[in-house]
Amino acid sequence: MNVPNPNWFLRARLKTRQLLLLIAIDDERNIHRAAEALCMTQPAASKQLKDLEDMLGIALFERLPRGMEPTIYGESMIRHARMALTSLARAHEDIIALKSGLAGQVDVGSVMTPALRLLPRAITRVKQQVPQLRIGVQIESSNELLERLERGTLDFLLARMTSFHDHADLQYEELAPEPVVAVARAAHPLAGRSDLTLADLAQAPWITPPPGSILRQRFDQLFHNAGLEPPCDVVDTSEIVLITSMLQMSDALNVMSADVALRYQELGLLTILPLELDCRMDAFGIIRRRDRLLSPGAELLLQAIRSEAAAQQPQSPLPVPAAVKDIEFDMEIA
């Protein structure tokens, strides 16, 4: 079995121009338009692509009557080309920032829950130490953030590992589990009930994620396990802005992590219903690529996040059940 040569690109004299060409062809699906985008002649572009394919011994693109489509080998090479060029661009940005007396750039992706308390506290701590450090934050679902991490546009994530991505190249460090609570508008009729049961919630209107989503499946299973039919009066959405607005103007209910709910309750927007739910959300944690070195600024932010996570005491608005069931919620915007 041949052992892969980690420095094959040196022997091949791989050019940055060839990486740019791969990406341009992928974007344009036409070598003539790709050459124009790079201010090259088509013969020169064709020769650079042929040289690379000859060196690798495979076809990177399938030539079609009306364009070009990447082969499975081409898709892999294009993905790595994008990551390599993104990394080089970030390196140049860091150098420019350091020359200007700044501390570089950190881009972190986060799901909703750590973005409400943990991440803001960590960022505040870091900015007190290094005010010049530029920190970019993107809030999205775990699946979307994992794709951006793979493309190299984010340094690390505060998110959940999902079954939709290959974990071989990822390093995961768990930070915190999350209890789940039911929420409603302030002064909701169910908020003052001391005898509230899951059967009462089954009869209420709900705002839930669309059918087929992980959260919807597990939400329905919560009622099935109690011998109840899931709520039938539902609005399907996972958009948090719409959810909070609809909760305030109706008697609908929603289920979310306790940390998110606590924040909205502090603002007087929502109230947490007095009912223990025997379930928990999947834990979130730090996710980073194994093959990527972090900048000093990114490492500094990571240390602050770890410190804040260790110092943050669990905040549960309800007593934690003695035995937590095996039902786990994985929110779509989580």
Side-chain angles (χ1 to χ4, degrees):
M1 180 177 179
N2 294 330
V3 178
N5 180 3
N7 296 319
W8 67 270
F9 51 87
L10 296 178
R11 178 172 56 85
R13 297 182 180 178
L14 183 67
K15 304 177 181 66
T16 304
R17 197 74 165 168
Q18 288 172 311
L19 300 182
L20 291 168
L21 179 61
L22 289 178
I23 295 172
I25 297 175
D26 184 47
D27 291 339
E28 301 291 343
R29 300 302 169 103
N30 180 286
I31 195 165
H32 178 71
R33 290 196 299 269
E36 287 184 340
L38 297 177
C39 299
M40 300 171 63
T41 65
Q42 182 172 336
S46 297
K47 183 179 186 305
Q48 286 202 7
L49 177 59
K50 184 178 184 303
D51 289 345
L52 183 57
E53 290 181 322
D54 289 345
M55 193 284 305
L56 292 172
I58 45 89
L60 295 173
F61 291 90
E62 182 180 359
R63 279 69 171 175
L64 303 174
R66 294 191 176 184
M68 303 174 69
E69 291 287 337
T71 64
I72 187 173
Y73 308 107
E75 289 177 352
S76 177
M77 193 66 190
I78 290 165
R79 179 168 59 88
H80 287 286
R82 290 185 186 278
M83 288 193 298
L85 292 175
T86 298
S87 182
L88 288 173
R90 296 288 298 278
H92 183 256
E93 291 174 0
D94 285 347
I95 290 173
I96 295 299
L98 291 170
K99 288 173 64 177
S100 302
L102 302 178
Q105 172 82 26
V106 181
D107 289 295
V108 57
S110 177
V111 296
M112 184 184 302
T113 300
L116 285 174
R117 295 176 182 271
L118 175 60
L119 187 56
R121 290 172 179 169
I123 291 175
T124 300
R125 174 186 290 198
V126 170
K127 294 294 283 185
Q128 288 173 346
Q129 301 176 48
V130 190
Q132 300 89 352
L133 179 63
R134 294 174 296 173
I135 301 176
V137 180
Q138 299 179 27
I139 311 297
E140 265 294 353
S141 67
S142 293
N143 282 334
E144 176 62 28
L145 292 175
L146 285 165
E147 291 180 4
R148 296 179 188 181
L149 181 68
E150 186 177 90
R151 292 196 299 265
T153 58
L154 293 172
D155 292 300
F156 64 88
L157 312 178
L158 296 180
R160 296 178 176 85
M161 296 291 269
T162 73
S163 59
F164 302 104
H165 287 77
D166 183 6
H167 299 168
D169 296 331
L170 301 178
Q171 179 179 325
Y172 177 71
E173 177 185 339
E174 185 172 311
L175 288 179
E178 296 180 79
V180 170
V181 295
V183 298
R185 64 175 173 82
H188 190 283
L190 296 179
R193 289 269 303 273
S194 59
D195 58 344
L196 197 60
T197 67
L198 193 61
D200 296 320
L201 302 189
Q203 302 303 315
W206 280 82
I207 304 171
T208 61
S213 64
I214 295 175
L215 177 56
R216 178 62 172 272
Q217 293 171 1
R218 295 180 179 179
F219 172 81
D220 289 346
Q221 190 62 46
L222 176 65
F223 290 91
H224 286 309
N225 289 348
L228 300 168
E229 286 296 319
C232 59
D233 181 358
V234 299
V235 174
D236 301 326
T237 182
S238 57
E239 296 296 332
I240 190 63
V241 174
L242 180 62
I243 290 171
T244 53
S245 295
M246 290 191 66
L247 288 177
Q248 292 176 66
M249 63 180 63
S250 71
D251 283 340
L253 309 179
N254 184 255
V255 65
M256 62 177 61
S257 77
D259 215 26
V260 175
L262 280 168
R263 180 56 179 161
Y264 284 119
Q265 185 168 261
E266 290 171 355
L267 296 173
L269 300 176
L270 301 176
T271 186
I272 299 171
L273 297 183
L275 176 67
E276 298 178 13
L277 299 181
D278 289 343
C279 58
R280 61 186 175 89
M281 293 181 65
D282 296 340
F284 66 83
I286 298 168
I287 305 176
R288 52 187 292 188
R289 293 187 60 88
R290 295 183 185 276
D291 58 356
R292 181 170 181 177
L293 294 176
L294 295 182
S295 66
E299 289 286 2
L300 185 64
L301 181 56
L302 267 185
Q303 292 174 13
I305 289 171
R306 292 188 183 106
S307 297
E308 289 295 335
Q312 187 171 307
Q313 297 298 320
Q315 300 185 51
S316 177
L318 298 169
V320 178
V324 178
K325 305 295 184 182
D326 290 334
I327 304 171
E328 297 184 353
F329 281 86
D330 189 2
M331 295 185 70
E332 297 308 303
I333 304 296

